[in-house]
Amino acid sequence: MAASESEKKVPVTTHLYQRQIDHLNKVAKELQVTKAVLFREAIEQLLKRYEEKQLDIGIK
């Protein structure tokens, strides 16, 4: 999902396991994209999964 021009990116801090970062770095390098791109893609997939389940969590 492409972000609209009106959407603003905001910084987020999270804690991950070292092995996750190591794997993420390998994937980012192989795909020649930043980790931020991969995180945004993962979040969109996560939100879509819950939206498809039609959970009543305010993201329909």
Side-chain angles (χ1 to χ4, degrees), residues 19-33:
R19 72 171 172 75
Q20 292 173 315
I21 293 298
D22 294 343
H23 289 200
L24 188 64
N25 285 334
K26 288 178 186 177
V27 171
K29 184 176 180 180
E30 180 68 27
L31 296 176
Q32 297 182 351
V33 298

PDB file of all heavy atoms in Angstrom, residues 19-33:
ATOM      1  N   ARG A  19      19.069 -11.780  16.684  1.00  0.00           N
ATOM      2  CA  ARG A  19      18.941 -12.642  15.504  1.00  0.00           C
ATOM      3  C   ARG A  19      17.945 -12.050  14.505  1.00  0.00           C
ATOM      4  O   ARG A  19      18.133 -12.187  13.293  1.00  0.00           O
ATOM      5  CB  ARG A  19      18.565 -14.069  15.889  1.00  0.00           C
ATOM      6  CG  ARG A  19      17.167 -14.229  16.369  1.00  0.00           C
ATOM      7  CD  ARG A  19      16.716 -15.681  16.550  1.00  0.00           C
ATOM      8  NE  ARG A  19      15.417 -15.682  17.188  1.00  0.00           N
ATOM      9  CZ  ARG A  19      14.273 -15.376  16.573  1.00  0.00           C
ATOM     10  NH1 ARG A  19      14.274 -15.091  15.299  1.00  0.00           N
ATOM     11  NH2 ARG A  19      13.132 -15.371  17.229  1.00  0.00           N
ATOM     12  N   GLN A  20      16.917 -11.367  14.998  1.00  0.00           N
ATOM     13  CA  GLN A  20      15.958 -10.730  14.098  1.00  0.00           C
ATOM     14  C   GLN A  20      16.625  -9.604  13.324  1.00  0.00           C
ATOM     15  O   GLN A  20      16.408  -9.458  12.117  1.00  0.00           O
ATOM     16  CB  GLN A  20      14.766 -10.189  14.888  1.00  0.00           C
ATOM     17  CG  GLN A  20      13.897 -11.268  15.496  1.00  0.00           C
ATOM     18  CD  GLN A  20      12.837 -10.697  16.412  1.00  0.00           C
ATOM     19  OE1 GLN A  20      13.112  -9.818  17.228  1.00  0.00           O
ATOM     20  NE2 GLN A  20      11.609 -11.201  16.271  1.00  0.00           N
ATOM     21  N   ILE A  21      17.429  -8.829  14.017  1.00  0.00           N
ATOM     22  CA  ILE A  21      18.144  -7.728  13.357  1.00  0.00           C
ATOM     23  C   ILE A  21      19.132  -8.272  12.338  1.00  0.00           C
ATOM     24  O   ILE A  21      19.250  -7.745  11.226  1.00  0.00           O
ATOM     25  CB  ILE A  21      18.872  -6.848  14.401  1.00  0.00           C
ATOM     26  CG1 ILE A  21      17.855  -6.124  15.278  1.00  0.00           C
ATOM     27  CG2 ILE A  21      19.805  -5.846  13.727  1.00  0.00           C
ATOM     28  CD1 ILE A  21      16.961  -5.171  14.523  1.00  0.00           C
ATOM     29  N   ASP A  22      19.832  -9.342  12.708  1.00  0.00           N
ATOM     30  CA  ASP A  22      20.799  -9.950  11.778  1.00  0.00           C
ATOM     31  C   ASP A  22      20.109 -10.416  10.503  1.00  0.00           C
ATOM     32  O   ASP A  22      20.576 -10.139   9.392  1.00  0.00           O
ATOM     33  CB  ASP A  22      21.522 -11.126  12.442  1.00  0.00           C
ATOM     34  CG  ASP A  22      22.417 -10.691  13.594  1.00  0.00           C
ATOM     35  OD1 ASP A  22      22.752  -9.488  13.692  1.00  0.00           O
ATOM     36  OD2 ASP A  22      22.767 -11.567  14.411  1.00  0.00           O
ATOM     37  N   HIS A  23      18.976 -11.079  10.654  1.00  0.00           N
ATOM     38  CA  HIS A  23      18.233 -11.565   9.485  1.00  0.00           C
ATOM     39  C   HIS A  23      17.663 -10.397   8.687  1.00  0.00           C
ATOM     40  O   HIS A  23      17.689 -10.413   7.455  1.00  0.00           O
ATOM     41  CB  HIS A  23      17.123 -12.511   9.905  1.00  0.00           C
ATOM     42  CG  HIS A  23      17.628 -13.837  10.399  1.00  0.00           C
ATOM     43  ND1 HIS A  23      16.842 -14.956  10.453  1.00  0.00           N
ATOM     44  CD2 HIS A  23      18.829 -14.227  10.857  1.00  0.00           C
ATOM     45  CE1 HIS A  23      17.533 -15.975  10.917  1.00  0.00           C
ATOM     46  NE2 HIS A  23      18.755 -15.543  11.185  1.00  0.00           N
ATOM     47  N   LEU A  24      17.146  -9.419   9.394  1.00  0.00           N
ATOM     48  CA  LEU A  24      16.596  -8.239   8.727  1.00  0.00           C
ATOM     49  C   LEU A  24      17.663  -7.519   7.916  1.00  0.00           C
ATOM     50  O   LEU A  24      17.423  -7.105   6.773  1.00  0.00           O
ATOM     51  CB  LEU A  24      15.984  -7.295   9.765  1.00  0.00           C
ATOM     52  CG  LEU A  24      15.212  -6.110   9.223  1.00  0.00           C
ATOM     53  CD1 LEU A  24      13.979  -6.564   8.446  1.00  0.00           C
ATOM     54  CD2 LEU A  24      14.818  -5.192  10.362  1.00  0.00           C
ATOM     55  N   ASN A  25      18.842  -7.385   8.482  1.00  0.00           N
ATOM     56  CA  ASN A  25      19.948  -6.750   7.759  1.00  0.00           C
ATOM     57  C   ASN A  25      20.290  -7.509   6.484  1.00  0.00           C
ATOM     58  O   ASN A  25      20.550  -6.896   5.436  1.00  0.00           O
ATOM     59  CB  ASN A  25      21.187  -6.650   8.652  1.00  0.00           C
ATOM     60  CG  ASN A  25      21.071  -5.570   9.688  1.00  0.00           C
ATOM     61  OD1 ASN A  25      20.354  -4.590   9.515  1.00  0.00           O
ATOM     62  ND2 ASN A  25      21.766  -5.735  10.797  1.00  0.00           N
ATOM     63  N   LYS A  26      20.286  -8.845   6.551  1.00  0.00           N
ATOM     64  CA  LYS A  26      20.585  -9.659   5.366  1.00  0.00           C
ATOM     65  C   LYS A  26      19.529  -9.461   4.286  1.00  0.00           C
ATOM     66  O   LYS A  26      19.857  -9.321   3.104  1.00  0.00           O
ATOM     67  CB  LYS A  26      20.680 -11.133   5.747  1.00  0.00           C
ATOM     68  CG  LYS A  26      21.923 -11.475   6.536  1.00  0.00           C
ATOM     69  CD  LYS A  26      21.933 -12.948   6.925  1.00  0.00           C
ATOM     70  CE  LYS A  26      23.115 -13.249   7.830  1.00  0.00           C
ATOM     71  NZ  LYS A  26      23.113 -14.661   8.275  1.00  0.00           N
ATOM     72  N   VAL A  27      18.269  -9.465   4.696  1.00  0.00           N
ATOM     73  CA  VAL A  27      17.181  -9.285   3.729  1.00  0.00           C
ATOM     74  C   VAL A  27      17.257  -7.889   3.102  1.00  0.00           C
ATOM     75  O   VAL A  27      17.154  -7.743   1.879  1.00  0.00           O
ATOM     76  CB  VAL A  27      15.800  -9.503   4.394  1.00  0.00           C
ATOM     77  CG1 VAL A  27      14.670  -9.109   3.453  1.00  0.00           C
ATOM     78  CG2 VAL A  27      15.662 -10.950   4.841  1.00  0.00           C
ATOM     79  N   ALA A  28      17.460  -6.884   3.922  1.00  0.00           N
ATOM     80  CA  ALA A  28      17.542  -5.510   3.416  1.00  0.00           C
ATOM     81  C   ALA A  28      18.699  -5.366   2.429  1.00  0.00           C
ATOM     82  O   ALA A  28      18.548  -4.734   1.378  1.00  0.00           O
ATOM     83  CB  ALA A  28      17.708  -4.535   4.579  1.00  0.00           C
ATOM     84  N   LYS A  29      19.817  -5.960   2.762  1.00  0.00           N
ATOM     85  CA  LYS A  29      20.987  -5.878   1.869  1.00  0.00           C
ATOM     86  C   LYS A  29      20.706  -6.595   0.557  1.00  0.00           C
ATOM     87  O   LYS A  29      21.003  -6.072  -0.519  1.00  0.00           O
ATOM     88  CB  LYS A  29      22.210  -6.474   2.548  1.00  0.00           C
ATOM     89  CG  LYS A  29      23.472  -6.346   1.729  1.00  0.00           C
ATOM     90  CD  LYS A  29      24.674  -6.878   2.486  1.00  0.00           C
ATOM     91  CE  LYS A  29      25.931  -6.727   1.624  1.00  0.00           C
ATOM     92  NZ  LYS A  29      27.123  -7.219   2.305  1.00  0.00           N
ATOM     93  N   GLU A  30      20.131  -7.784   0.650  1.00  0.00           N
ATOM     94  CA  GLU A  30      19.836  -8.564  -0.559  1.00  0.00           C
ATOM     95  C   GLU A  30      18.848  -7.837  -1.467  1.00  0.00           C
ATOM     96  O   GLU A  30      19.001  -7.831  -2.684  1.00  0.00           O
ATOM     97  CB  GLU A  30      19.272  -9.933  -0.167  1.00  0.00           C
ATOM     98  CG  GLU A  30      18.930 -10.828  -1.328  1.00  0.00           C
ATOM     99  CD  GLU A  30      20.142 -11.314  -2.125  1.00  0.00           C
ATOM    100  OE1 GLU A  30      21.242 -11.408  -1.550  1.00  0.00           O
ATOM    101  OE2 GLU A  30      19.962 -11.601  -3.321  1.00  0.00           O
ATOM    102  N   LEU A  31      17.844  -7.222  -0.873  1.00  0.00           N
ATOM    103  CA  LEU A  31      16.814  -6.517  -1.646  1.00  0.00           C
ATOM    104  C   LEU A  31      17.208  -5.083  -1.981  1.00  0.00           C
ATOM    105  O   LEU A  31      16.500  -4.401  -2.723  1.00  0.00           O
ATOM    106  CB  LEU A  31      15.489  -6.518  -0.881  1.00  0.00           C
ATOM    107  CG  LEU A  31      14.857  -7.885  -0.640  1.00  0.00           C
ATOM    108  CD1 LEU A  31      13.597  -7.743   0.204  1.00  0.00           C
ATOM    109  CD2 LEU A  31      14.555  -8.585  -1.959  1.00  0.00           C
ATOM    110  N   GLN A  32      18.293  -4.627  -1.386  1.00  0.00           N
ATOM    111  CA  GLN A  32      18.784  -3.252  -1.581  1.00  0.00           C
ATOM    112  C   GLN A  32      17.725  -2.216  -1.207  1.00  0.00           C
ATOM    113  O   GLN A  32      17.434  -1.287  -1.958  1.00  0.00           O
ATOM    114  CB  GLN A  32      19.279  -3.044  -3.012  1.00  0.00           C
ATOM    115  CG  GLN A  32      20.458  -3.932  -3.356  1.00  0.00           C
ATOM    116  CD  GLN A  32      20.988  -3.710  -4.753  1.00  0.00           C
ATOM    117  OE1 GLN A  32      20.392  -3.005  -5.562  1.00  0.00           O
ATOM    118  NE2 GLN A  32      22.127  -4.311  -5.047  1.00  0.00           N
ATOM    119  N   VAL A  33      17.151  -2.428  -0.027  1.00  0.00           N
ATOM    120  CA  VAL A  33      16.206  -1.468   0.542  1.00  0.00           C
ATOM    121  C   VAL A  33      16.604  -1.238   1.998  1.00  0.00           C
ATOM    122  O   VAL A  33      17.412  -1.972   2.553  1.00  0.00           O
ATOM    123  CB  VAL A  33      14.734  -1.965   0.487  1.00  0.00           C
ATOM    124  CG1 VAL A  33      14.287  -2.159  -0.949  1.00  0.00           C
ATOM    125  CG2 VAL A  33      14.552  -3.248   1.271  1.00  0.00           C
TER     126      VAL A  33
END
